């Protein structure tokens, strides 16, 4: 599915997902069961904001244990507003990483203690750099790591490339892989058979971590606010799906 198609449709609202039997069957897991203290989380975000959309609540739990976290930002997200007079690529390339920075601070992560690597790959062209990303991860990963990224079937070329690269690297390095749907919440139907429900689980977020995730998402102003006559890049329906008291993952 192309990004244009994704954004053209209205999207599946949370109230429809609430009736999903398959979502209801996804088992619950507490964050510390997935990633207990001492276990490293390596998070690969295709674009600045994906770290919050995928796992902002889980990340909030790393406040005070930043040594267990490695954050990799693949692109600077400069292609989110094609043709916009205000949000030019030049402006976005500076703005979006700053938004990420503020968002991580809202999650109360100490950026001085956080290993955060920005790869500056080209937004919208991650499939071209997939082998590079796989190699890069092969050098960083350790066998006990949890490697988290966007789902291989998410419907956005960069999200899918990140998913494939991480899957390869996780297999090579014997790390555990967690794939997170982002745009799938928008285009998929509740109980959609294209989603790998057998691997689905829900990471439980407490109120405090969910509130921090909400604040962190608001920092991504270029994505959540309208641009002149255009609606926000992240539709409000999609935001609502991603601000529930759990984070859905495929393990
Ligand atoms: Zn993205």
């Amino acid at each position: 599915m192309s990004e244009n198609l994704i954004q053209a449709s209205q999207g599946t609202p949370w109230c429809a997902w609430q009736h999903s039997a398959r979502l209801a069957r996804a088992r619950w897991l507490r964050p510390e069961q997935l990633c207990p203290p001492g276990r490293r989380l390596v998070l690969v975000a295709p674009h600045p904001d994906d770290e919050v959309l995928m796992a902002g609540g889980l990340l909030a739990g790393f406040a005070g244990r930043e040594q267990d976290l490695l954050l990799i930002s693949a692109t600077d997200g400069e292609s989110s507003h094609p043709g916009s007079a205000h949000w030019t690529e030049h402006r976005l390339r500076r703005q979006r990483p700053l938004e990420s920075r503020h968002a991580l601070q809202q999650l109360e992560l100490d950026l001085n203690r956080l290993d955060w690597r920005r790869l500056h790959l080209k937004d919208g062209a991650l499939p071209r750099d997939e082998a590079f990303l796989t190699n890069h991860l092969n050098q960083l990963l350790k066998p006990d790591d949890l490697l988290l990224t966007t789902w291989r079937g998410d419907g956005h070329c960069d999200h899918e490339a990140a998913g494939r690269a991480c899957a390869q690297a996780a297999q090579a390095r014997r790390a555990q892989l967690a794939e997170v749907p982002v745009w799938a919440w928008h285009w998929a139907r509740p109980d959609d058979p294209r989603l790998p429900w057998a691997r689905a689980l829900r990471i439980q977020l407490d109120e405090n971590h969910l509130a921090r995730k909400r604040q962190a998402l608001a920092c991504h102003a270029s994505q959540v606010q309208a641009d002149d006559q255009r609606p926000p890049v992240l539709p409000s329906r999609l935001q609502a799906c991603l601000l529930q008291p759990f984070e859905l993952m495929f393990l």
Side-chain angles (χ1 to χ4, degrees), residues 104-178:
L104 294 169
Q105 287 167 337
Q106 288 299 321
L107 299 176
E108 296 189 357
L109 292 169
D110 181 349
L111 298 185
N112 293 321
R113 298 180 58 219
L114 179 65
D115 192 351
W116 180 14
R117 305 183 190 199
R118 289 173 52 198
L119 304 183
H120 307 292
L121 301 176
K122 186 163 169 39
D123 185 4
L126 218 47
R128 194 188 65 191
D129 289 320
E130 205 174 307
F132 167 84
L133 188 56
T134 306
N135 276 333
H136 189 74
L137 292 166
N138 278 341
Q139 287 164 36
L140 292 173
L141 282 178
K142 293 181 286 195
D144 188 44
D145 287 339
L146 175 67
L147 178 61
L148 187 147
T149 194
T150 42
W151 173 44
R152 269 170 284 184
D154 202 38
H156 183 299
C157 70
D158 290 340
H159 287 205
E160 297 191 351
R164 288 190 301 266
C166 287
Q168 279 223 349
Q171 192 176 29
R173 301 292 294 146
R174 298 175 189 279
Q176 189 180 20
L177 178 69

Side-chain angles (χ1 to χ4, degrees), residues 118-249:
R118 289 173 52 198
L119 304 183
H120 307 292
L121 301 176
K122 186 163 169 39
D123 185 4
L126 218 47
R128 194 188 65 191
D129 289 320
E130 205 174 307
F132 167 84
L133 188 56
T134 306
N135 276 333
H136 189 74
L137 292 166
N138 278 341
Q139 287 164 36
L140 292 173
L141 282 178
K142 293 181 286 195
D144 188 44
D145 287 339
L146 175 67
L147 178 61
L148 187 147
T149 194
T150 42
W151 173 44
R152 269 170 284 184
D154 202 38
H156 183 299
C157 70
D158 290 340
H159 287 205
E160 297 191 351
R164 288 190 301 266
C166 287
Q168 279 223 349
Q171 192 176 29
R173 301 292 294 146
R174 298 175 189 279
Q176 189 180 20
L177 178 69
E179 293 177 82
V180 183
V182 176
W183 281 102
W185 286 103
H186 186 73
W187 57 256
R189 301 184 304 275
D191 296 322
D192 201 311
R194 291 171 290 182
L195 272 63
W197 292 108
R199 295 165 51 206
L201 55 83
R202 288 180 281 182
I203 307 301
Q204 196 174 341
L205 304 185
D206 65 30
E207 266 177 48
N208 175 28
H209 288 183
L210 177 57
R212 286 195 217 162
K213 180 179 184 176
R214 186 174 288 113
Q215 289 164 354
L217 185 54
C219 293
H220 289 279
S222 68
Q223 309 301 299
V224 299
Q225 292 176 8
D227 169 28
D228 202 7
Q229 302 299 319
R230 305 183 195 201
V233 174
L234 291 172
S236 51
R237 281 182 168 187
L238 175 60
Q239 292 180 45
C241 291
L242 291 164
L243 289 171
Q244 296 302 317
F246 65 87
E247 286 166 337
L248 185 70
M249 310 191 167

Side-chain angles (χ1 to χ4, degrees), residues 46-47 49-50 159 183:
H47 310 109
D49 76 357
D50 284 320
H159 287 205
W183 281 102

